């Protein structure tokens, strides 16, 4: 079982493609979160809305950075 | 048929309610509490507004779920954050060799794992932060953002509220003083529920002060 798992990991191209597809889907999710944060802060205006939007942008940028990282080092 | 009784001086129920609302405001006029990032209740907040708020409308009561209701996801976040360290400690203690996982994969999967934890905590905080119930001088507003993509804003006029009560069941709710407030309305939405809000008795008192005297003149 462990040898099989190691062989799977060593199929670099397939695992890399799978991982990148997952990250692309996650980037779409992160964009949805960012958009919904904007909607929320428009409906209910609180003093810390700016912080929440910055965090959602940071989340999106982290997801994109992870995609770039996976592309480079895997 | 001649009128048997005509109540003097009451021409407009809406005008009467507005006068009662002003009396309600006067009792809160010294309570300008700010809405903080962790606030669950705020009386007459001056740093909050909502999208369809009228120019002459003031928010008298701002409510969220009691902060203690966030404890489950906070605990899960902390445990998830510490899990990789625990796994490495356990692996070292049991002599399990994790070096079969290539280093690049460990780095990338680890980064993805922590981004997921961040997203989990962030979305839960957003969900708590923007599920808001409001009592204003004119209306009751219930803003509901569930599951990040579900968005519902329910509004009813104060004069349509027929009945209001609250329940506080169990040790945890009694100890932390939070409970459910239920409002029956004559509007399209038959009831408004403010669930797990702090100081439910105060919420009922303030809302009754705005609407309760109307019943004596009805």
């Amino acid at each position: 079982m462990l040898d099989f798992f190691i062989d799977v990991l060593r199929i670099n191209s397939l695992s890399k493609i799978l991982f990148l597809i997952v990250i692309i889907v996650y980037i779409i999710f992160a964009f949805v979160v960012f958009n919904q944060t904007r909607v929320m802060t428009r409906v209910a205006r609180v003093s810390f809305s700016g912080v929440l939007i910055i965090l959602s942008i940071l989340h999106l940028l982290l997801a994109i950075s992870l995609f770039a990282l996976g592309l480079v080092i895997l | 048929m001649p009128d048997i009784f005509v109540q003097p001086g009451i021409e407009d129920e809406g005008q009467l309610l507005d006068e009662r609302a002003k009396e309600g405001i006067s009792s809160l006029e010294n309570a300008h509490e700010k809405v903080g990032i962790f606030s669950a209740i705020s009386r007459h907040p001056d740093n909050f507004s909502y999208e369809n708020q009228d120019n002459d409308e003031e928010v008298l009561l701002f409510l969220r779920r009691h902060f203690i209701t966030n404890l489950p996801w906070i605990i899960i976040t902390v445990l998830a954050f510490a899990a990789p360290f625990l796994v490495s400690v356990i692996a070292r203690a049991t002599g399990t060799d994790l070096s079969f996982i290539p280093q690049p994969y460990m780095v990338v999967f680890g980064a993805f794992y922590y981004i997921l934890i961040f997203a989990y905590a962030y979305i839960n905080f957003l969900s708590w932060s923007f599920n808001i119930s409001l009592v204003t001088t004119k209306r009751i507003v219930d803003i509901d953002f569930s599951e990040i993509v579900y968005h519902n804003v329910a509004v009813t006029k104060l004069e349509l509220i027929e009945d209001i009560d609250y329940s506080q069941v169990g040790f945890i709710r009694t100890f932390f003083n939070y409970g459910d407030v239920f409002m029956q309305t004559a509007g399209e939405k038959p009831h408004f529920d403010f669930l797990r809000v702090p100081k439910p008795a105060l919420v009922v008192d303030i809302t009754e002060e705005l609407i309760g005297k109307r019943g004596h003149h009805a």
Side-chain angles (χ1 to χ4, degrees):
Chain A
M1 184 71 182
L2 191 60
D3 291 335
F4 173 77
F5 182 71
I6 292 169
D7 289 336
V8 168
L9 276 180
R10 286 190 182 139
I11 304 173
N12 281 335
S13 58
L14 178 63
S15 57
K16 181 175 178 176
I17 288 168
L18 281 173
F19 178 77
L20 292 178
I21 289 171
V22 167
I23 293 300
I24 287 170
V25 172
Y26 188 78
I27 288 171
I28 295 169
F29 168 74
F31 181 76
V32 168
V33 169
F34 163 67
N35 202 52
Q36 286 304 110
T37 304
R38 277 181 33 209
V39 169
M40 288 178 184
T41 52
R42 192 186 68 231
V43 170
R45 300 181 203 110
V46 290
S47 56
F48 52 90
S49 297
V51 174
L52 295 174
I53 291 176
I54 288 170
L55 283 175
S56 68
I57 293 171
L58 181 68
H59 175 232
L60 181 59
L61 290 175
L62 282 174
I64 294 169
S65 302
L66 185 64
F67 178 80
L69 184 70
L71 207 60
V72 169
I73 73 169
L74 287 183
Chain B
M1 179 177 175
D3 291 330
I4 297 173
F5 173 77
V6 175
Q7 189 170 13
I10 307 300
E11 292 180 6
D12 182 11
E13 193 170 295
Q15 181 186 355
L16 171 67
L17 192 62
D18 196 43
E19 290 168 3
R20 296 299 176 211
K22 288 176 183 173
E23 288 180 24
I25 292 171
S26 67
S27 73
L28 293 172
E29 64 184 7
N30 294 326
H32 277 280
E33 297 171 358
K34 290 198 180 295
V35 175
I37 193 165
F38 300 121
S39 298
I41 182 169
S42 181
R43 285 174 288 184
H44 208 175
D46 51 8
N47 64 336
F48 173 83
S49 63
Y50 69 100
E51 192 176 26
N52 297 319
Q53 186 171 344
D54 294 337
N55 292 332
D56 59 343
E57 184 180 8
E58 291 182 38
V59 176
L60 296 177
L61 201 58
F62 170 96
L63 295 164
R64 292 185 182 125
R65 289 194 331 256
H66 196 288
F67 193 79
I68 202 71
T69 59
N70 292 316
L71 206 57
W73 68 261
I74 291 173
I75 290 172
I76 290 171
T77 302
V78 170
L79 289 176
F81 188 86
F85 302 104
L86 290 172
V87 166
S88 68
V89 166
I90 292 168
R92 208 172 300 139
T94 57
T96 307
D97 184 19
L98 296 176
S99 61
F100 65 90
I101 303 172
Q103 192 69 15
Y105 282 92
M106 276 189 132
V107 170
V108 173
F109 287 160
F112 187 39
Y113 176 76
Y114 281 106
I115 288 175
L116 280 175
I117 293 171
F118 171 77
Y120 173 76
Y122 179 68
I123 288 168
N124 275 288
F125 179 77
L126 275 185
S127 178
W128 171 79
S129 196
F130 286 96
N131 274 283
I132 296 167
S133 303
L134 304 170
V135 178
T136 76
T137 51
K138 293 185 174 183
R139 298 179 274 196
I140 303 290
V141 182
D142 190 12
I143 301 171
D144 186 13
F145 280 100
S146 303
E147 311 300 331
I148 205 74
V149 291
Y150 174 79
H151 166 203
N152 176 264
V153 180
V155 180
T156 192
K157 295 179 182 177
L158 282 176
E159 55 258 34
L160 293 177
I161 295 175
E162 294 179 330
D163 184 42
I164 177 168
D165 67 324
Y166 76 93
S167 72
Q168 200 173 35
V169 179
F171 168 74
I172 301 289
R173 292 187 177 212
T174 307
F175 184 81
F176 290 101
N177 194 16
Y178 70 93
D180 303 329
V181 176
F182 307 103
M183 298 183 190
Q184 303 285 336
T185 75
E188 196 175 307
K189 189 172 177 183
H191 57 89
F192 276 64
D193 301 333
F194 297 173
L195 302 179
R196 294 181 284 175
V197 294
K199 301 178 186 176
L202 177 68
V203 175
V204 169
D205 282 346
I206 289 173
T207 312
E208 276 187 341
E209 192 173 328
L210 291 171
I211 64 166
K213 292 179 182 175
R214 178 176 69 89
H216 294 296
H217 296 276

